[in-house]
Amino acid sequence: MQKDNVKGKRVDLAENVAENVDIAIEDIRYIREMMEGSKNFFISGWSGIAWGIATIVGVIFTNWAISNISQLGISKTLWVVWIIAFTFASGVETYYLYKGARDTGRAILSTVSAKIITAEVVMSVQGLALTLLLIHLGFPAYIPGAWLLALGGLMLVAGLFFPGGIWAFGALTFVAAIVAFIMPDMGLYCIGFSGAVSLFWGIAYLVVKRK
């Protein structure tokens, strides 16, 4: 009789363990689905298209300004041009971030979004600091390489955690940064190349993911 009770307790214990394992597996699956959804939620092909267009237009205007505007006013003109381009692309990205949050019922301000915003701020501060340093040292031709290096590094690392082929965009931009440092006269063309990569990535993502 005692053996039967012990056996029964073992069976009950095994059933409880199996039930708890099943619950844990379901919880892990749910968390994974939520994480994957959060990753996709932050990515939109329209953001890539906006950044690509803004970058290419900025490069074209910069190339024209260098040839047609006096050296006295070129610095201020280029600052204004790239601030406008950055504001436009950031505005489009912010809109689709808000739209994604609204469509999926997620909060815009979350742990993931805070990390993304922090990474972008760090990249921008890094690029700006290098820009001012290179201007101060008298090497403005290396400014495109500095920005491409910051952007390429960020996108390459982000691509390890987010789906959608961002790593490819980051890798190509990183290569463009190296070329821009080796051949600073090609810096503007390297930025234009990065913009074209962003544009084509955005179109491809939009076609595949429909967003």
Side-chain angles (χ1 to χ4, degrees):
M1 187 71 176
Q2 186 175 0
K3 291 183 179 180
D4 292 338
N5 290 335
V6 172
K7 185 177 180 180
K9 290 180 179 179
R10 288 178 178 176
V11 171
D12 292 339
L13 179 61
E15 290 177 351
N16 290 334
V17 171
E19 183 179 354
N20 290 333
V21 170
D22 290 339
I23 293 174
I25 292 175
E26 287 299 321
D27 290 341
I28 292 172
R29 185 180 293 113
Y30 173 76
I31 293 171
R32 181 178 179 181
E33 290 175 356
M34 289 293 294
M35 291 180 65
E36 291 297 327
S38 296
K39 292 178 181 179
N40 288 316
F41 149 65
F42 288 106
I43 303 175
S44 171
W46 288 111
S47 297
I49 293 173
W51 279 107
I53 292 174
T55 301
I56 293 172
V57 171
V59 167
I60 293 173
F61 191 89
T62 299
N63 191 49
W64 175 87
I66 291 174
S67 303
N68 294 274
I69 298 178
S70 65
Q71 191 66 30
L72 186 63
I74 186 68
S75 179
K76 183 182 294 184
T77 301
L78 294 183
W79 277 108
V80 172
V81 167
W82 286 103
I83 288 174
I84 292 174
F86 181 83
T87 302
F88 164 75
S90 297
V92 173
E93 185 175 18
T94 301
Y95 168 75
Y96 280 98
L97 179 64
Y98 169 77
K99 184 176 183 298
R102 183 185 61 188
D103 293 344
T104 57
R106 293 185 174 90
I108 296 179
L109 296 178
S110 63
T111 303
V112 178
S113 63
K115 291 180 179 179
I116 293 174
I117 293 171
T118 301
E120 291 183 350
V121 170
V122 170
M123 183 207 73
S124 299
V125 172
Q126 177 185 352
L128 183 59
L130 290 174
T131 297
L132 296 175
L133 177 63
L134 291 169
I135 291 175
H136 176 72
L137 295 176
F139 298 111
Y142 291 96
I143 292 175
W147 278 99
L148 289 172
L149 187 65
L151 176 62
L154 175 64
M155 292 295 102
L156 189 57
V157 173
L160 300 177
F161 301 96
F162 290 85
I166 297 179
W167 67 268
F169 168 64
L172 290 173
T173 301
F174 197 81
V175 171
I178 296 174
V179 174
F181 276 118
I182 296 174
M183 296 182 290
D185 292 340
M186 298 290 293
L188 272 180
Y189 297 101
C190 290
I191 289 182
F193 170 76
S194 178
V197 172
S198 178
L199 177 63
F200 286 115
W201 173 86
I203 293 173
Y205 192 86
L206 197 63
V207 170
V208 174
K209 298 292 185 176
R210 303 291 181 182
K211 67 173 187 173

